[in-house]
Amino acid sequence: MLKDFSMTLADRSWASADKDAIVVGFRTAQPFHFTPGQYVRVRLLGGAHQDAHGDARIFNVASSPAESDRVEIVTRLRGSAFKKNLLELPIGTEVSVSAPIGDFTLVDVVKAKHVFVIGGTGIAPILSMLHYLWDSGVRLDVSLLYSNKTVGRVVGADALGRWQRLGVLPHFVHTLTQTVGAVEGYESGRIDVEMISRAISQDDMKRSIFYISGPWGMGEAMHDVLRALDVPDERIHIKEFDLQWLQ
């Protein structure tokens, strides 16, 4: 059985320009240790809204493990009672957060190229990883291919820009799938064989470890793309969000 930590709702802010996603921070009096890329179960203890989906959800941690008294999550807002309560509960409200779970974590291979292939709020565990790389002083060869529907739905734009400027994220391809016309700084279309081939050289492809994180179905689609590029399964790590997690 997972250990539960009693935490308080510490802060809440918009995570996207369209205000359809939020960053939520929780504070804990007990040190909370996790590995970047892991996830937690958050249970809300109260709230005005109720529905059949219950009072708990799974979220990847988006903060750095260097902040042992803080856990940060990112989520897209939807019509569920849980998300309404998460948006409305007063700061200082007690919540229950499980011990960390999961093995979608950085592979400790310094000489490898680490390629993140991400969709939407799947960026959360990558934000944690990038923050950890900065805090720890570890520098890896990192590339990010990040897909969103529109500019307004981009999550974590400020943090990603900061990690670019600081050299933690030296290679970044950002693409939009539902925007008509060219947008400066963005590519257009879904991540596919051609886009990855432009971003990753043939020599780098041979030493690359791929991390896929995004909505349900993205893992299978990106796995097929990478297999078409002759990337072996042992160098493909997939994190998908079950539909129920997203309610």
Side-chain angles (χ1 to χ4, degrees):
M1 182 178 295
L2 291 174
K3 176 182 179 180
D4 286 324
F5 290 75
S6 177
M7 301 192 185
T8 56
L9 179 59
D11 51 77
R12 185 170 46 214
S13 60
W14 297 114
S16 65
D18 279 354
K19 295 185 177 181
D20 67 341
I22 54 174
V23 180
V24 183
F26 305 106
R27 289 285 181 189
T28 174
Q30 299 176 268
F32 187 85
H33 302 293
F34 67 94
T35 302
Q38 290 190 299
Y39 60 91
V40 295
R41 182 193 62 228
V42 175
R43 186 177 302 279
L44 301 181
L45 308 178
H49 307 283
Q50 295 182 349
D51 63 18
H53 296 293
D55 59 1
R57 294 291 187 280
I58 299 293
F59 298 100
N60 272 107
V61 180
S63 49
S64 169
E67 299 179 272
S68 61
D69 66 340
R70 176 181 171 81
V71 174
E72 189 173 277
I73 63 168
V74 179
T75 186
R76 194 79 67 186
L77 291 174
R78 302 177 191 273
S80 70
F82 181 96
K83 295 294 178 71
K84 290 177 181 177
N85 288 331
L86 189 63
L87 184 62
E88 297 173 6
L89 282 171
I91 299 301
T93 297
E94 182 181 356
V95 301
S96 177
V97 178
S98 75
I101 318 160
D103 57 3
F104 182 76
T105 55
L106 279 170
V107 178
D108 187 17
V109 181
V110 174
K111 294 183 179 180
K113 185 175 186 67
H114 300 263
V115 183
F116 303 125
V117 182
I118 309 301
T121 54
I123 196 66
I126 310 309
L127 293 175
S128 179
M129 292 176 186
L130 294 173
H131 202 159
Y132 162 76
L133 291 176
W134 173 254
D135 287 339
S136 65
V138 174
R139 294 296 176 266
L140 300 176
D141 186 358
V142 172
S143 290
L144 169 63
L145 292 91
Y146 186 24
S147 174
N148 282 278
K149 292 180 180 179
T150 63
V151 174
R153 288 175 62 85
V154 174
V155 171
D158 290 344
L160 294 172
R162 181 168 66 250
W163 301 136
Q164 277 189 284
R165 293 191 299 272
L166 292 172
V168 178
L169 179 58
H171 311 291
F172 183 12
V173 175
H174 204 162
T175 186
L176 304 174
T177 61
Q178 292 186 9
T179 298
V180 178
V183 179
E184 185 178 357
Y186 295 85
E187 294 203 22
S188 178
R190 297 184 182 276
I191 299 171
D192 56 13
V193 169
E194 183 180 349
M195 189 177 294
I196 293 176
S197 296
R198 289 198 305 268
I200 312 296
S201 71
Q202 289 187 350
D203 287 341
D204 281 344
M205 196 76 72
K206 297 173 184 177
R207 65 183 184 93
S208 290
I209 300 171
F210 289 84
Y211 306 79
I212 303 168
S213 176
W216 188 254
M218 184 176 180
E220 182 177 357
M222 290 301 99
H223 181 266
D224 290 345
V225 166
L226 293 175
R227 290 308 307 273
L229 290 165
D230 295 324
V231 179
D233 284 349
E234 59 266 25
R235 289 197 278 115
I236 302 173
H237 302 269
I238 300 175
K239 172 68 177 183
E240 282 189 319
F241 299 93
D242 188 286
L243 291 177
Q244 183 170 339
W245 296 5
L246 301 176
Q247 299 296 325

